[in-house]
Amino acid sequence: GAWLDVLAVNAFTHPLAWWAVMHQFLGWWPVEAAVTLTELALYRGVTGLTWRRSALVACVANGVTAALSWVL
């Protein structure tokens, strides 16, 4: 279902984002912005959600993972 799509997309983008931040390729905010835009497009393509719903899912998913990155 939808949660598997979210997990699959996150499993794809998370290692790339982690690498970019750890190697100081980009700062945290630009990486999060790039990941959100990438995930938006992936959600649209994988799930067939509208652009608006894909944007909502991307923002919520990244908000959760970004918050967790500060907590953990």
Side-chain angles (χ1 to χ4, degrees):
W3 286 107
L4 289 177
D5 293 336
V6 170
L7 289 174
V9 168
N10 191 267
F12 172 73
T13 58
H14 178 76
L16 299 172
W18 184 86
W19 181 88
V21 171
M22 290 298 120
H23 289 86
Q24 298 177 346
F25 182 71
L26 288 172
W28 189 84
W29 284 109
V31 168
E32 284 300 316
V35 166
T36 301
L37 292 174
T38 300
E39 289 186 358
L40 186 160
L42 288 172
Y43 291 135
R44 172 76 171 129
V46 170
T47 66
L49 291 172
T50 64
W51 285 108
R52 178 174 276 161
R53 287 186 185 250
S54 296
L56 176 64
V57 172
C59 288
V60 169
N62 274 298
V64 170
T65 57
L68 288 173
S69 74
W70 288 101
V71 172
L72 301 177

